[in-house]
Amino acid sequence: MKAAIVVFPGSNRENDAKAALTQAMGSEPVMVWHRDTTLPKVDLVLVPGGFSYGDYLRCGAIAANSPVLREVKARAEAGMAVIGVCNGFQIITEAGLLPGVLLRNANLKFVCRNVGLRVETSNSRFTSGYKKGQVLSIPVAHHDGNYFADARTLDELEAEDRIAFRYCGPEGRLDANYNPNGSTRHIAGILNKKRNVLGLMPHPENAIEPLHGSTDGKALFQSLVEAVS
């Protein structure tokens, strides 16, 4: 598998993403600058976390209009895999690759800790390495991770099995006490209609080594390699 990581002014997780992909693929991904107008021939583009353009306007709104995102969007529409993590989720949602919006956390505070994450579907190239209902421990680090969409969109996501992850308690129970940002229906990650685009707020790239306190993010990257290879 060949992969690329898009880097913006203010990105801060691109090297973490690079380490996770290198470990899974056995080769390094290509780093692509936000002003580039073309992408190399790759199977996956990862849009990393951070604070692109200082999070001015809405988080991800400026980055969504950068030159390289036009190419990412075109490739995604042609079937290439795209994953947006944290600020990357905000960016690809602002770009129209996924429905809904990411609002300010319900408690109006930045949250940074490991959270429980329940796998809602294993039917995607991103989640095939997990079992449906499996509970993961993955870190979050965001101020604007409160996923919101209208009822019709939410019902469509449910009906089409496009909710990838939900925030949960240790035993997988959905409870407001374990929802770190107030996200609607406890949603932590979603898929597009073609199931080749994933956006999620938690950071799987920061859960791949025992020293991270969890290796639960490792299977996501391995799933991608196995799906594409």
Side-chain angles (χ1 to χ4, degrees):
M1 186 178 85
K2 294 182 180 180
I5 297 173
V6 180
V7 183
F8 300 91
S11 295
N12 64 14
R13 299 299 178 99
E14 68 272 22
N15 286 318
D16 297 356
K18 180 180 178 181
L21 283 170
T22 299
Q23 184 184 106
M25 298 189 305
S27 60
E28 291 189 357
V30 179
M31 309 304 279
V32 178
W33 187 232
H34 69 117
R35 287 188 176 179
D36 291 348
T37 56
T38 60
L39 280 172
K41 188 175 180 181
V42 293
D43 306 295
L44 165 74
V45 166
L46 189 149
V47 186
F51 303 93
S52 59
Y53 295 93
D55 276 351
Y56 290 109
L57 299 181
R58 297 181 309 276
C59 296
I62 299 176
N65 290 285
S66 63
V68 75
L69 253 291
R70 289 193 284 272
E71 181 65 14
V72 171
K73 193 171 181 179
R75 296 276 190 97
E77 289 170 353
M80 182 190 70
V82 175
I83 178 171
V85 179
C86 197
N87 187 222
F89 187 10
Q90 296 162 346
I91 292 168
I92 63 175
T93 300
E94 288 284 345
L97 287 170
L98 293 169
V101 294
L102 281 307
L103 304 176
R104 188 151 295 178
N105 295 349
N107 63 6
L108 304 183
K109 295 179 180 179
F110 186 89
V111 57
C112 182
R113 65 173 186 267
N114 271 41
V115 299
L117 208 62
R118 193 174 78 185
V119 179
E120 296 298 292
T121 181
S122 59
N123 182 25
S124 81
R125 66 186 75 179
F126 309 96
T127 59
S128 61
Y130 298 113
K131 293 181 180 179
K132 183 175 180 177
Q134 184 176 347
V135 177
L136 315 176
S137 177
I138 304 286
V140 295
H142 59 252
H143 192 270
D144 298 73
N146 182 353
Y147 181 77
F148 177 83
D150 61 84
R152 182 177 179 179
T153 298
L154 292 167
D155 290 344
E156 188 176 82
L157 290 171
E158 300 266 15
E160 296 177 358
D161 191 34
R162 289 166 50 201
I163 297 175
F165 302 102
R166 278 190 167 98
Y167 301 111
C168 70
E171 304 302 321
R173 185 166 57 92
L174 302 182
D175 187 309
N177 293 321
Y178 295 104
N179 186 334
N181 50 42
S183 182
T184 306
R185 301 192 190 182
H186 306 272
I187 291 172
I190 61 171
L191 298 157
N192 68 337
K193 283 183 176 289
K194 291 182 179 179
R195 310 184 79 79
N196 65 306
V197 177
L198 169 69
L200 74 163
M201 287 308 297
H203 287 274
E205 75 279 14
N206 293 133
I208 62 166
E209 298 284 355
L211 286 175
H212 290 158
S214 171
T215 59
D216 289 347
K218 201 169 181 179
L220 186 147
F221 298 101
Q222 291 174 333
S223 295
L224 279 167
V225 172
E226 291 171 9
V228 173
S229 300

